[in-house]
Amino acid sequence: MAAGVQARVLIVARDDELAGPLAEGLDRLGWRTVTARSPQAALACIADLQIEAAILDLASGEVVLDLGKQLKAACAPRRLPVLAVGDPGPSLAPCGFDLTMAAPLHPSQAAMRLESLVRMAVAEEEFELRVETFADRRRKLALPDPDVSPLRILAIGEPAPQFLALSNALARDGAEVVGAFTAYTAFDYLHERPFDGVVLWAGDNPQEALSIAAGLRRNTRLYHTPALLYMRHGSYITTAEAYHRGVSDVASPQTPEDETALRVLELARNHRRMMAVRQALEGARGSGLMDAATGLFTRDLFAAHLARIAQAARVRNRPLSVCVLRVAERPELASARADGWMARAIPQIGSMIGRLVRVEDTAARLAPEVFALALPATPLHAGQAAGERIAAVIGCTAFEAGEGKTPFVVEFDIGAAEVTAPDGVGRALEIAASQAQALKAS
């Protein structure tokens, strides 16, 4: 690798049958890779490079079965997601893999799973930090009790024999399977109750199945729900197209139903785990420490927690960015401020910011019209983009200005900075705030 280039994904494989196409495809998708041929080489990469996730080829033999735990230990305290490629059999449960997927693994499929696993690792790290911050203020945060109920799978499509066979295999493995013959029925079910995974039967109309997958990805509540596309033999839909439309995995009737069922359940278990972490992080809102109007971190709580995040980012060798959003001074807002309508809009604006950030991010209200974000595992350009995205969404919202008056819109002056020194968190926040202030002055 070139000097100064750091790998994000470690692929451990004894040959290039799986690793070659996978590494090439991930590199094209922006996930820089490095390949190790042995456990010793893999551990050396962990020591020398900034690895965000690892992919282990189970075809490399038993030598990799214990490697997942070793790699995780070598990365501690940074959490390292490990994805195994091979038979997702129950015998692999004690090996410490976060997810096991069947070969061959399409690069787009791998990229989606890696993004999900890395985000979950960062969210789990953030939860640990929030537990400490809230404990300092005599408040307790805890993970919800484990959900031991059967995994809930929604099977969408016509009742073809192959699809029914897969549904029966899922039920034999202990899943609760609900059938929906149409997209309308499917989305009714999805809005009525939570599901851990979705299976889509391509059948004679694969475009409808892909439309449902795309619909899941456009819905903020359903975005992370995994969907497996079960294609019939001879389908004209390509694997690349399926993954591009938001499908999490692809299988065909030529794959044994029991194997496909295990793949679905692997995705479902991973999704349930991620939702538990999300629920735990959102539990901070009921702590009594948050800003009463917006539900965001208060200025003092944010300052204390940001210091802890910065220290953890240094220890875990992860980037950290901060972003400040200040309601812009615009002549058309003078009336809304004078009449108190801006003050009435602030709680809604703060609530929107809280919903628009990632679950692992920390959003705070620093002043009546000033908000801040702490964005772990995020470099500067991505932090700036996050602030601009939030501002763009809120800028499309019209707020009430009183009877007979035109509703007003809110724009933001945005500043962002990356924490680049062990004690530089205060300086980074100051830079971001001054950037926003400079825009206000201009």
Side-chain angles (χ1 to χ4, degrees):
M1 299 181 66
V5 176
Q6 292 181 314
R8 299 175 64 192
V9 181
L10 169 65
I11 301 175
V12 184
R14 65 185 176 192
D15 55 48
D16 277 337
E17 182 176 353
L18 177 140
L22 184 58
E24 181 180 349
L26 285 173
D27 286 335
R28 283 199 305 268
L29 293 170
W31 289 82
R32 297 184 303 275
T33 62
V34 61
T35 301
R37 299 300 186 196
S38 68
Q40 294 77 16
L43 290 168
C45 288
I46 289 291
D48 296 338
L49 300 169
Q50 186 179 343
I51 303 297
E52 290 190 34
I55 299 176
L56 307 186
D57 182 4
L58 297 180
S60 300
E62 293 186 2
V63 293
V64 301
L65 292 182
D66 294 329
L67 186 57
K69 293 181 179 178
Q70 295 177 42
L71 294 175
K72 286 176 179 289
C75 272
R78 178 160 49 92
R79 290 176 179 264
L80 179 76
V82 178
L83 192 158
V85 183
D87 178 17
S91 61
L92 298 179
C95 295
F97 304 140
D98 294 276
L99 187 63
T100 305
M101 305 194 74
L105 190 61
H106 192 280
S108 296
Q109 177 190 18
M112 285 191 298
R113 302 329 308 161
L114 287 170
E115 180 181 1
S116 175
L117 289 171
V118 169
R119 281 198 58 187
M120 182 163 60
V122 175
E124 288 174 333
E125 292 173 358
E126 170 62 18
F127 176 72
E128 294 173 354
L129 298 177
R130 288 195 191 180
V131 168
E132 296 175 6
T133 298
F134 280 66
D136 288 345
R137 286 157 175 76
R138 296 179 175 84
R139 295 291 194 278
K140 182 179 180 181
L141 288 183
L143 284 169
D145 293 333
D147 186 349
V148 296
S149 63
L151 292 168
R152 293 176 290 274
I153 308 298
L154 180 62
I156 307 172
E158 62 201 49
Q162 303 98 318
F163 198 42
L164 290 175
L166 175 58
S167 297
N168 291 334
L170 287 166
R172 284 196 303 271
D173 286 333
E176 176 187 324
V177 183
V178 176
F181 297 153
T182 68
Y184 298 105
T185 305
F187 278 100
D188 281 344
Y189 280 132
L190 287 165
H191 288 295
E192 288 173 0
R193 68 184 88 165
F195 285 90
D196 301 298
V198 170
V199 178
L200 300 165
W201 170 242
D204 295 325
N205 189 7
Q207 288 300 332
E208 181 176 353
L210 292 181
S211 295
I212 295 172
L216 292 173
R217 302 300 165 246
R218 288 193 298 268
N219 186 297
T220 55
R221 188 177 65 83
L222 303 174
Y223 179 84
H224 297 288
T225 304
L228 179 138
L229 181 67
Y230 199 42
M231 294 197 300
R232 70 173 186 173
H233 180 65
S235 175
Y236 62 85
I237 297 296
T238 65
T239 302
E241 181 181 0
Y243 292 130
H244 179 71
R245 296 288 291 275
V247 170
S248 308
D249 199 358
V250 175
S252 73
Q254 281 62 53
T255 306
E257 290 88 0
D258 290 341
E259 178 183 324
T260 302
L262 288 174
R263 289 160 64 176
V264 173
L265 296 178
E266 278 273 306
L267 292 170
R269 290 190 191 95
N270 185 67
H271 174 70
R272 181 173 284 190
R273 175 185 165 194
M274 183 176 68
M275 289 299 101
V277 175
R278 177 182 293 271
Q279 182 181 345
L281 284 168
E282 291 177 346
R285 296 180 181 177
S287 65
L289 298 176
M290 314 300 276
D291 178 67
T294 62
L296 304 180
F297 275 54
T298 63
R299 180 189 182 98
D300 291 342
L301 184 63
F302 179 73
H305 189 59
L306 182 57
R308 182 168 272 117
I309 296 175
Q311 181 182 12
R314 177 179 58 81
V315 172
R316 290 168 173 150
N317 194 22
R318 291 195 189 277
L320 169 64
S321 292
V322 293
C323 183
V324 172
L325 298 97
R326 180 187 297 272
V327 175
E329 293 283 0
R330 299 290 185 267
E332 57 270 24
L333 294 182
S335 176
R337 284 194 172 96
D339 296 339
W341 290 100
M342 173 60 77
R344 292 184 178 92
I346 288 296
Q348 183 180 349
I349 292 171
S351 178
M352 291 176 71
I353 291 174
R355 292 195 302 270
L356 289 169
V357 296
R358 304 170 304 180
V359 68
E360 62 268 29
D361 298 332
T362 301
R365 184 185 185 188
L366 301 187
E369 297 184 5
V370 182
F371 303 89
L373 312 174
L375 307 164
T378 304
L380 174 59
H381 66 88
Q384 180 76 31
E388 292 172 352
R389 175 179 58 83
I390 291 170
V393 173
I394 296 177
C396 295
T397 304
F399 297 96
E400 181 64 41
E403 186 175 355
K405 294 187 178 181
T406 303
F408 63 92
V409 296
V410 172
E411 298 178 355
F412 287 96
D413 295 326
I414 303 169
E418 185 170 347
V419 180
T420 56
D423 57 349
V425 61
R427 178 59 179 158
L429 189 60
E430 180 182 333
I431 291 172
S434 63
Q435 288 174 356
Q437 184 65 34
L439 291 171
K440 174 184 176 181
S442 64

